[in-house]
Amino acid sequence: MSDTTPFFENVQTIYDDDHSDDLLALFLDDEMVYSCAYFERDDMSLGEAQIAKLDLSLGKCDLSPGQTLLDIGCGYGACAYRAAAKYGVNVIGLTLSEKQARHCREKMKGLPPEAGKVEIRLAGWEEFDQPVDRIVSIGAFEHFRRERFAQFFETAHRLLPADGRMMLHTIVAFDFPRLDSLGIEVTHENVLFGKFIQRKVFPGGQLFDPRVIEDFATKAGFRIERAQSLQLHYARTLETWAANLERRHDEAVAIKGEQGYAFFMKYLTGCAAHFRSGHIDVVQFTMVPR
Ligand SMILES: C[S@@+](CC[C@H](N)C(=O)[O-])C[C@H]1O[C@@H](n2cnc3c(N)ncnc32)[C@H](O)[C@@H]1O
C-alpha cells in the first residue's frame, strides 16, 4: 500500500456502518446534505438553506456549461446533481464511502437529459489525476490530514487551468493565541469534547486554524480570493439537525439504541454550542492559481 492510499477505513466507519445512512436520514434534509447550510433568509427551511449553500458554493466557482467540475467528497450527491442540472457542467464526484457512491449513482439517474453528465468514483483525491476546470469540496477537507495538505493543494493546483478556481469549504478551529485575542476561554470540557468528536464521531478527523490552511494553499501557488465565515449558519444547522433527531427519537432508538441516540445528540448539540461560542468556525475559501 502506498502511503497516500486514501483513508477509506476511517470514512467508511462513519458512513458505511449498518444503518448509518438510515440514522442520518432522520435528521438531515431530503437531499442528505451533511455540511453547514446557508440561511440566506431567516425564514428558510433546512432544505432551502442547503440549496442556498450549494448555490453559494457553486456560484463562487464561476461555472460555464460544458466545463468539468471535480466535487471532492461528494457525499450523497446533492452538489453534483445541482451543478449538472442547474449549471450544465459535467461533474466527477469522489467519495470514499461505498454506500454514498451507490446512493449518488442512483440519484443521478434522475437528472434531466439536458443536464451535464455526472460520474461518481469510489476514490480519493489522492488517486485522481486528470485535468478539470473547477474544483468544489464541501466538508471533506477535515478528513484529509495535515501530512497530506501540501500534496492536496499541489494536486488541486496541477489539475486546474491557469484561470481555474477552487471553492474549499471546511470547519476550522482557532489556535490558542487567536482564541485568546478573541477573548474566548478554553476549558477542560472544550478539550474533552474535541477529543470525543475526533476519536468517536469523525475518526481521523482534524481541524486547523484558517491560517494553516491559507499557508499550505499559498505555498502550492494559490491566491485566496475570499474567505467567508458561516459560523452561525453552522450553529443553526446543527441545532436544526438536533431538533429533527429529537423529534424522531423513537426511530433513532430503533436503529441505534438509546445510547446511540444520546451519542448523536451529544455530538450535534455540543458542536452547535462550540460554533455559537466561537471556538470553531466554518469557512469557504475561494482560491485561484497565481
Ligand atoms: C461530511 S461528508 C460531506 C459530503 C458533502 N460534500 C456534503 O456537503 O454533504 C465528507 C465527504 O468527504 C469524503 N472524503 C473524505 N476523504 C476524502 C478523500 N480523501 N477524497 C475524496 N473524498 C473524501 C467522504 O467520502 C464524504 O463523502
Side-chain angles (χ1 to χ4, degrees), residues 219-256:
K219 280 197 186 104
F222 281 106
R223 178 169 63 80
I224 314 292
E225 198 181 72
R226 185 175 176 199
Q228 182 183 12
S229 159
L230 297 178
Q231 193 173 49
L232 293 179
H233 294 271
Y234 217 161
R236 183 164 166 192
T237 304
L238 284 151
E239 285 156 4
T240 309
W241 287 345
N244 289 345
L245 188 60
E246 197 173 21
R247 254 197 315 279
R248 318 256 326 239
H249 165 270
D250 295 354
E251 291 158 89
V253 170
I255 295 170
K256 289 270 177 194

Side-chain angles (χ1 to χ4, degrees), residues 6 11 15 32-35 53 71-76 94-97 100 123-126 138-140 143-144:
V11 168
Y15 300 107
M32 301 271 287
V33 182
Y34 197 18
S35 51
K53 186 274 300 298
D71 181 0
I72 304 179
C74 61
Y76 296 93
L94 305 181
T95 175
L96 302 187
S97 153
Q100 287 183 344
W125 62 264
E126 296 90 335
I138 303 176
H143 296 283
F144 293 175

Side-chain angles (χ1 to χ4, degrees), residues 66-101:
Q67 285 181 333
T68 299
L69 172 72
L70 176 64
D71 181 0
I72 304 179
C74 61
Y76 296 93
C79 184
Y81 188 101
R82 187 141 185 103
K86 182 172 172 192
Y87 298 82
V89 292
N90 299 314
V91 187
I92 303 172
L94 305 181
T95 175
L96 302 187
S97 153
E98 287 176 11
K99 279 191 175 179
Q100 287 183 344

Side-chain angles (χ1 to χ4, degrees), residues 48-224:
E48 288 168 337
Q50 288 295 10
I51 296 291
K53 186 274 300 298
L54 296 179
D55 284 338
L56 177 72
S57 311
L58 294 169
K60 290 175 178 178
C61 292
D62 186 27
L63 301 169
S64 309
Q67 285 181 333
T68 299
L69 172 72
L70 176 64
D71 181 0
I72 304 179
C74 61
Y76 296 93
C79 184
Y81 188 101
R82 187 141 185 103
K86 182 172 172 192
Y87 298 82
V89 292
N90 299 314
V91 187
I92 303 172
L94 305 181
T95 175
L96 302 187
S97 153
E98 287 176 11
K99 279 191 175 179
Q100 287 183 344
R102 275 201 299 276
H103 183 104
C104 287
R105 288 177 188 139
E106 264 316 299
K107 183 183 180 78
M108 300 314 154
K109 290 183 184 161
L111 275 169
E114 67 279 11
K117 303 272 168 277
V118 179
E119 183 198 339
I120 302 295
R121 296 190 194 172
L122 180 63
W125 62 264
E126 296 90 335
E127 305 165 298
F128 188 86
D129 196 17
Q130 73 184 69
V132 295
D133 297 299
R134 302 286 186 263
I135 299 175
V136 68
S137 184
I138 303 176
F141 186 81
E142 296 88 332
H143 296 283
F144 293 175
R145 300 192 66 82
R146 187 184 179 122
E147 62 270 28
R148 296 189 178 176
F149 285 177
Q151 189 201 343
F152 169 69
F153 286 110
E154 282 157 23
T155 302
H157 193 272
R158 189 178 69 246
L159 301 179
L160 288 170
D163 63 350
R165 54 182 53 230
M166 170 160 77
M167 201 301 291
L168 179 70
H169 166 129
T170 184
I171 302 172
V172 296
F174 297 119
D175 59 22
F176 287 113
R178 177 95 76 116
L179 286 171
D180 207 34
S181 73
L182 293 168
I184 298 170
E185 202 191 331
V186 179
T187 64
H188 188 54
E189 281 67 38
N190 297 138
V191 175
L192 285 182
F193 184 74
K195 285 191 174 158
F196 160 73
I197 293 294
Q198 208 183 355
R199 289 185 186 157
K200 305 270 185 242
V201 185
F202 294 104
Q206 294 179 328
L207 300 181
F208 290 95
D209 192 273
R211 273 186 286 233
V212 173
I213 298 166
E214 288 175 355
D215 276 359
F216 275 103
T218 308
K219 280 197 186 104
F222 281 106
R223 178 169 63 80
I224 314 292

